[in-house]
Amino acid sequence: SSSSSSSCHRHLTRHHTRRQFHGRRSVSVRSGASSSSSSRVDDTAIFTLLRASEKGYDLRLIDAHPAVQTTYTNRGDGIEKLAKYFDGVNADGVQFASTQPLFMWHGEEGGKVMRLRVGKRVDGETGSLPPAPEPGSELALTVAGGNAVAVIVVKEQNVTPDVAKVYLSRLREMLAEDGIKTKHADESRFGVCQYGELYTMAERLNELLVEVAL
């Protein structure tokens, strides 16, 4: 329903100020969230910095974490499906605190996969596994992360295919110069990592990721 959709939109767009990796520095992602909504925000970091290259890219480890994912063609549709899971449309009716960043992986499972970490429950309970998605939701639970990535900051707010091509080409050039091999020879495989409001490009922070073999 439209009211359910509106609730989902609000849930995944409320974020406190927090520090996150963005290039070789931390970046504050602002929002208008009040302290009363702190149970709805999970700021747990999922990156471990391995190296900050002077050339302008990072090598990071994505820590292993539970995540909910969906295949998608339209970004907005993918976000809406993930939002419903966080808003309690799952097997246990449990709401989860919103998390960042939003991962969008190109070239996975024959297409594109959108993924968000599943973190703290809004009710504060701990020790339980994330509930299964509702049947027919086109969602799946997975253990994500555990891989090393090279990361480059994208200055543009909108990561179009042409924009991604330019940045990815430069990133792969720098990796080759430093003797770092990418994990996949297929250059169509890469990730987009986004911080900030999900439903507007205002203050959206973008990064491009390529898996590397360490």
Side-chain angles (χ1 to χ4, degrees):
S1 69
S2 60
S3 61
S4 174
S5 174
S6 176
S7 175
C8 295
H9 287 211
R10 290 195 304 271
H11 179 59
L12 281 190
T13 55
R14 284 195 302 234
H15 294 284
H16 286 303
T17 298
R18 55 193 157 184
R19 307 299 293 180
Q20 289 282 8
F21 281 120
H22 197 241
R24 290 173 293 153
R25 63 191 186 282
S26 292
V27 169
S28 222
V29 179
R30 299 197 308 269
S31 83
S34 65
S35 59
S36 62
S37 66
S38 59
S39 65
R40 285 190 166 277
V41 179
D42 183 345
D43 292 334
T44 305
I46 59 172
F47 285 118
T48 298
L49 181 64
L50 302 177
R51 182 196 303 175
S53 171
E54 290 301 318
K55 294 181 178 179
Y57 71 89
D58 283 354
L59 289 182
R60 303 181 199 160
L61 180 67
I62 304 177
D63 302 332
H65 58 276
V68 61
Q69 68 180 33
T70 185
T71 56
Y72 73 102
T73 55
N74 178 276
R75 179 181 178 278
D77 291 343
I79 291 174
E80 179 118 7
K81 286 186 282 186
L82 295 178
K84 289 180 179 178
Y85 180 90
F86 278 74
D87 215 40
V89 184
N90 52 60
D92 294 346
V94 173
Q95 291 185 333
F96 288 89
S98 59
T99 62
Q100 289 202 0
L102 173 71
F103 288 99
M104 292 172 285
W105 292 98
H106 295 241
E108 278 195 16
E109 301 182 15
K112 298 188 292 184
V113 174
M114 183 178 290
R115 187 175 293 142
L116 275 171
R117 181 177 63 85
V118 179
K120 300 175 184 176
R121 293 167 52 132
V122 171
D123 62 16
E125 289 191 20
T126 60
S128 60
L129 295 174
E134 284 284 330
S137 65
E138 301 181 349
L139 298 173
L141 290 175
T142 188
V143 176
N147 52 327
V149 292
V151 183
I152 189 169
V153 175
V154 177
K155 295 180 181 178
E156 287 79 359
Q157 293 285 297
N158 190 17
V159 185
T160 65
D162 288 341
V163 168
K165 183 177 180 180
V166 172
Y167 280 89
L168 289 169
S169 176
R170 178 57 184 148
L171 177 58
R172 291 190 173 98
E173 286 178 5
M174 292 188 291
L175 293 175
E177 290 170 359
D178 291 344
I180 299 172
K181 294 183 179 181
T182 58
K183 189 174 181 179
H184 306 288
D186 183 359
E187 292 191 358
S188 67
R189 293 193 60 154
F190 65 93
V192 181
C193 182
Q194 293 186 334
Y195 305 86
E197 299 286 351
L198 299 184
Y199 290 93
T200 174
M201 288 191 293
E203 299 185 15
R204 183 187 298 173
L205 304 177
N206 298 307
E207 297 173 328
L208 285 168
L209 292 68
V210 172
E211 288 189 81
V212 295
L214 297 181

